[in-house]
Amino acid sequence: MKHKPTKIKKAYLIASLAVLILGFFLTLFLANVEAAEFEEEQRNAMKRMERAEAYIKNRILEKGIEIEETDLNKTGLLGPEFTELTSTPGEEGAKRSTLNPEFSAVMVRYFHKAGLEEGDTIAIGSSGSFPGFMIAVLTAASEMKLEARVIASLGASMHGATRVEYNIFNILEDLKQSGEADFNLVGVSCGGANDKGGSVMEGFLYEGTAELSYEITKEEAECTGAVFIYEDTLSESIERRLEVYGDDIKMFINIGGASTNLGTSSYSLDFPPGLVMSVDKIPEGKERGLIFEYAAEGIPVVNLLSVKKLCQMNSIAFDPVPLPSSSSSAVYSTVTYNPLHIVITLLVAMAILIAGIIDSRKKR
């Protein structure tokens, strides 16, 4: 004999739903909002990034470079889709998101969580893929008076610093000229496949792109005094970077997807975004990348690559138009919810449903 399913009166269902909705809003209303101890540094870092981006935009316009249609916030820092420097695919929404000055405030938080102090040395390995992340890191480091050593690679994914006439090296030069970021460009490389330069459109739209990358990078090294890193193998390129950075590094920051930074191991795909204080699995081999080289030494790593995840982790809007300003941002605060409120809400809602079931069975 089959049992008929128990039917609960609508009144009980409505009451249970009402408790859930009320509990949800009460949990939000009673949330504890705490300003970070370093809120002033975060605000100042954001202001630095805002001023730096404004300065760079003016330099771009002075050079007569057109702003791309995909650059919805008119920053000037989104490059064309395909050029002689385009190394890999890239999403325009992600590139726009990294130009959000809130990421400078996030970097200040990362530096504090890692225990960095004034005068500490950080190593930054950046491709040309995310100019916004690079500006965020360097303005935050300058606000905290950290010594930043940069090795920049010329290659860039789509919509990054892909302009031949205004590449990642030019952005770094103007960033320093803006006075908003103090850093040392200690090394430069061609980037791209095996760190030898070249475009994904080689043989389709362009010819001789690897040679062009070599020429631009070599000239940058000669003009700035940075070490020109151009090795026979990827492992030698990684080893050379370790030498150039020096042995007093307190944090390594990866910006973009350069193989010298991420390595060629399958473990690279599982390396978390954001601040990583320790890693469970560290591969062996000479091509494991700088993130693992430093993690193996117990040195904190910041991985700036998965933009959507980084936005979610830090309560930052993905692809905002317009960009948030330092005066209106909520990124400085941390919000915590009382788990007791959530538990009570769920218990009351369940109690109402159980009462409805009991009432229904009594009538049967």
Side-chain angles (χ1 to χ4, degrees):
M1 181 177 179
K2 293 183 179 179
H3 293 282
K4 292 183 179 180
T6 302
K7 292 184 178 180
I8 304 174
K9 286 184 178 180
K10 285 185 179 179
Y12 289 101
L13 295 173
I14 293 171
S16 180
L17 180 61
V19 168
L20 289 172
I21 294 172
L22 180 62
F24 172 77
F25 284 106
L26 280 175
T27 301
L28 290 179
F29 181 74
L30 297 173
N32 184 34
V33 181
E34 292 183 359
E37 296 177 10
F38 36 85
E39 179 181 346
E40 185 176 357
E41 282 180 309
Q42 288 183 298
R43 288 187 183 276
N44 290 339
M46 274 192 72
K47 290 174 183 177
R48 278 180 181 267
M49 186 165 174
E50 288 171 345
R51 293 193 297 265
E53 288 187 339
Y55 180 89
I56 292 170
K57 178 181 177 179
N58 286 335
R59 292 287 292 137
I60 289 169
L61 295 175
E62 286 172 4
K63 293 175 181 289
I65 298 172
E66 292 186 6
I67 293 178
E68 297 292 308
E69 290 183 6
T70 52
D71 192 351
L72 303 183
N73 290 307
K74 307 301 179 186
T75 65
L77 284 164
L78 257 72
E81 188 174 27
F82 294 115
T83 73
E84 297 93 325
L85 302 184
T86 304
S87 56
T88 50
E91 183 188 358
E92 60 190 59
K95 303 305 169 83
R96 288 192 293 263
S97 297
T98 66
L99 294 162
N100 185 342
E102 288 180 322
F103 276 113
S104 188
V106 169
M107 288 308 306
V108 169
R109 188 196 313 141
Y110 285 167
F111 293 152
H112 276 283
K113 287 184 71 174
L116 297 186
E117 299 177 349
E118 180 178 336
D120 283 344
T121 302
I122 61 174
I124 300 158
S126 178
S127 70
S129 296
F130 297 112
F133 276 157
M134 186 181 66
I135 297 170
V137 169
L138 293 174
T139 50
S142 294
E143 182 60 33
M144 287 189 60
K145 297 181 173 60
L146 304 175
E147 181 185 337
R149 296 175 188 165
V150 180
I151 295 179
S153 300
L154 183 63
S157 57
M158 289 158 38
H159 308 291
T162 55
R163 297 183 179 104
V164 173
E165 70 277 20
Y166 197 77
N167 52 63
I168 195 67
F169 302 149
N170 303 125
I171 294 172
L172 279 167
E173 290 163 13
D174 283 337
L175 177 59
K176 179 162 272 192
Q177 285 293 323
S178 74
E180 301 301 338
D182 185 25
F183 57 91
N184 295 313
L185 181 63
V186 295
V188 290
S189 77
C190 298
N194 293 315
D195 209 23
K196 294 292 183 69
S199 171
V200 290
M201 302 310 293
E202 173 72 27
F204 296 96
L205 294 179
Y206 310 104
E207 300 290 343
T209 56
E211 292 81 359
L212 177 63
S213 297
Y214 181 92
E215 291 171 6
I216 294 172
T217 307
K218 191 170 187 298
E219 182 180 354
E220 179 69 14
E222 292 170 352
C223 291
T224 62
V227 175
F228 180 28
I229 301 174
Y230 193 81
E231 306 296 329
D232 291 334
T233 65
L234 187 64
S235 60
E236 289 174 333
S237 189
I238 293 169
E239 186 64 31
R240 187 72 176 111
R241 280 166 162 77
L242 290 169
E243 293 173 2
V244 172
Y245 281 133
D247 56 6
D248 57 344
I249 301 303
K250 297 295 179 66
M251 172 184 280
F252 176 70
I253 300 170
N254 167 60
I255 302 174
S259 54
T260 51
N261 296 336
L262 296 177
T264 58
S265 167
S266 59
Y267 289 118
S268 301
L269 301 174
D270 298 324
F271 199 92
L275 174 63
V276 180
M277 298 296 290
S278 62
V279 179
D280 293 331
K281 296 180 180 179
I282 298 179
E284 299 294 333
K286 295 181 178 180
E287 294 188 353
R288 62 183 180 179
L290 291 171
I291 55 172
F292 290 111
E293 290 290 340
Y294 284 108
E297 296 295 324
I299 294 172
V301 173
V302 174
N303 185 24
L304 299 178
L305 180 59
S306 302
V307 181
K308 285 185 178 179
K309 288 183 180 178
L310 286 164
C311 286
Q312 292 169 356
M313 290 164 56
N314 294 287
S315 300
I316 290 178
F318 181 79
D319 200 9
V321 180
L323 292 172
S325 70
S326 55
S327 59
S328 61
S329 175
V331 76
Y332 319 114
S333 303
T334 56
V335 181
T336 54
Y337 303 99
N338 191 332
L340 183 61
H341 298 158
I342 300 172
V343 171
I344 291 173
T345 297
L346 293 174
L347 289 176
V348 172
M350 289 177 62
I352 292 172
L353 289 176
I354 292 170
I357 292 171
I358 294 171
D359 183 46
S360 176
R361 287 182 175 176
K362 280 181 178 180
K363 291 184 176 181
R364 285 172 61 190

